[in-house]
């Protein structure tokens, strides 16, 4: 991101389109109409769909009574209500999902893993069955996890990123195993300084290296061109990784939030806040007031954001 930019929207999914870049004290309308500042040509986008306001003290997004709504981290925004945006949030408009990039967070540097010892490549199950992860600067993420837990938590992120980086479906499990081995072979020494890199950046680097190695090994067999490599500098790959990582955090956060709210509250959120059913019909179906339906949505959105923020602080 250009150092003069306050905000960028980077496409993670959807048709090809330009990124949106904004500086401080700016405001831009997103829509299908030619008079919009950021034009997205699709029938699922209203002519004046949403507006982003960018200031030194924060960035907000407002849905402009769009026909199909604007989604923030999987929940629909209330029309004409300015909602804060945060770094790595996901904004969905029509068929597009964008990753929000807001200046102020240091860019992560990456620590490249050492090649796997030949004996571990031959027999991966000789590797230790647990690995201790530490962030030494502040003591966060001081936890031990086993092979199955690592795969359960981070496997969907690795697999989703590999899929969007062009890895054939039949090779995604192999990439996942390569990445896991990259961590588990360093089980006794995996202690890193956050000043050198964040956990998510390290995991992305290991995944990207595994994908590159597979492309390189395939070149002589299938005639791939020399330049056929995913690039760590590619903006789309950065957006794809942040998209997968945020989705992974949101799913984990929702699992935790579900255990703390009443079934009616959760159903109100899913029907009104996610599916976009009218508040009055959801209220009648659940025997709640419309105000309670809207309150349930806002309560869960706030809980999700708090939980995601907690995980981001712990895991980078």
């Amino acid at each position: 991101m250009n150092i003069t930019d306050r905000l960028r929207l980077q496409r993670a999914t959807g048709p090809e389109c330009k990124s949106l870049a904004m500086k401080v004290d700016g405001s831009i309308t997103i829509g299908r109409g030619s008079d919009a500042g950021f034009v997205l040509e699709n029938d699922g986008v209203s002519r004046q769909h949403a507006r982003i306001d960018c200031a030194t003290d924060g960035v907000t997004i407002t849905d402009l009574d769009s026909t199909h709504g604007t989604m923030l981290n999987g929940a629909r925004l209330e029309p004409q209500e300015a909602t804060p945006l945060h770094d790595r949030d996901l904004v969905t408009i029509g068929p597009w999902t964008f990753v929000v990039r807001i200046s102020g967070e240091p860019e992560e540097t990456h620590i490249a893993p050492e090649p796997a010892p030949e004996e571990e490549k031959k027999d991966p199950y000789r590797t230790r069955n647990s690995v201790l992860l530490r962030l030494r600067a502040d003591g966060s993420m001081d936890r031990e996890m086993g092979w199955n837990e690592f795969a359960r938590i981070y496997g969907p992120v690795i697999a989703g990123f590999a899929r969007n980086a062009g890895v054939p479906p039949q090779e995604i499990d192999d990439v996942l195993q390569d990445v896991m081995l990259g961590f588990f072979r360093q089980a006794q020494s995996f202690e890193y300084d956050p000043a050198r890199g964040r956990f998510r950046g390290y995991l992305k680097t290991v995944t990207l290296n595994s994908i590159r190695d597979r492309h390189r090994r395939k070149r002589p067999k299938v005639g791939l061109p020399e330049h056929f490599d995913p690039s760590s500098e590619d903006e789309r790959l950065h957006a794809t990784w942040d998209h997968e990582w945020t989705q992974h955090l949101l799913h984990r956060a929702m699992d935790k939030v579900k255990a703390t709210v009443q079934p009616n509250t959760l159903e109100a959120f899913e029907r009104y806040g996610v599916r976009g059913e009218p508040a009055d019909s959801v209220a009648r179906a659940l025997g709640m007031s419309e105000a309670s339906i809207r309150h349930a949505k806002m309560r869960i959105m706030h809980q999700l954001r708090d939980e995601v923020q907690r995980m981001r602080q712990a895991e980078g």
Side-chain angles (χ1 to χ4, degrees), residues 76-280:
R76 291 179 179 272
L77 296 178
E78 292 291 324
Q80 300 296 341
E81 184 176 295
T83 303
L85 285 178
H86 299 274
D87 192 52
R88 286 177 279 149
D89 277 349
L90 302 180
V91 172
T92 301
I93 295 176
W96 286 276
T97 294
F98 297 94
V99 175
V100 176
R101 300 297 299 160
I102 297 177
S103 63
E105 178 176 311
E107 289 297 319
E108 61 206 22
T109 55
H110 305 305
I111 311 166
E114 296 296 325
E118 288 302 318
E119 60 270 19
E120 288 188 356
K121 292 180 181 179
K122 295 175 184 176
D123 186 5
Y125 297 102
R126 291 179 56 191
T127 308
R128 273 185 48 158
N129 64 0
S130 65
V131 60
L132 186 65
L133 305 175
R134 289 197 184 103
L135 282 173
R136 297 189 122 190
D138 59 4
S140 60
M141 198 170 186
D142 186 10
R143 64 175 303 194
E144 187 169 357
M145 61 173 63
W147 181 285
N148 290 335
E149 186 184 7
F150 187 99
R152 178 183 62 81
I153 294 176
Y154 300 113
V157 183
I158 297 165
F161 179 69
R163 188 179 306 109
N164 283 288
V167 175
Q170 65 272 20
E171 295 186 22
I172 289 177
D173 284 344
D174 294 331
V175 170
L176 176 58
Q177 178 171 280
D178 287 348
V179 173
M180 291 170 65
L181 285 173
F183 277 93
F184 279 76
R185 68 170 177 263
Q186 300 181 43
Q188 296 181 349
S189 60
F190 185 71
E191 300 176 12
Y192 65 98
D193 185 343
R196 295 184 59 205
R198 297 175 182 275
F199 175 72
R200 62 185 168 87
Y202 188 96
L203 188 59
K204 177 170 66 175
T205 299
V206 177
T207 305
L208 197 54
N209 284 351
S210 172
I211 294 170
R212 282 202 191 97
D213 288 345
R214 288 189 170 277
H215 281 315
R216 291 181 184 125
R217 290 198 296 270
K218 287 168 61 178
R219 278 188 188 132
K221 298 179 182 178
V222 297
L224 291 172
E226 193 66 23
H227 65 271
F228 187 66
D229 257 345
S231 169
S232 61
E233 302 304 318
D234 186 280
E235 180 181 281
R236 175 71 192 282
L237 279 181
H238 282 298
T240 297
W241 179 264
D242 283 339
H243 172 261
E244 296 295 335
W245 188 264
T246 299
Q247 290 277 39
H248 137 82
L249 293 181
L250 287 168
H251 289 151
R252 287 170 59 193
M254 178 54 78
D255 286 342
K256 292 194 174 184
V257 170
K258 283 179 179 179
T260 68
V261 299
Q262 295 296 320
N264 263 21
T265 301
L266 183 61
E267 186 174 354
F269 172 74
E270 291 177 344
R271 293 179 62 169
Y272 173 67
V274 178
R275 292 182 236 161
E277 296 181 30
D280 56 350

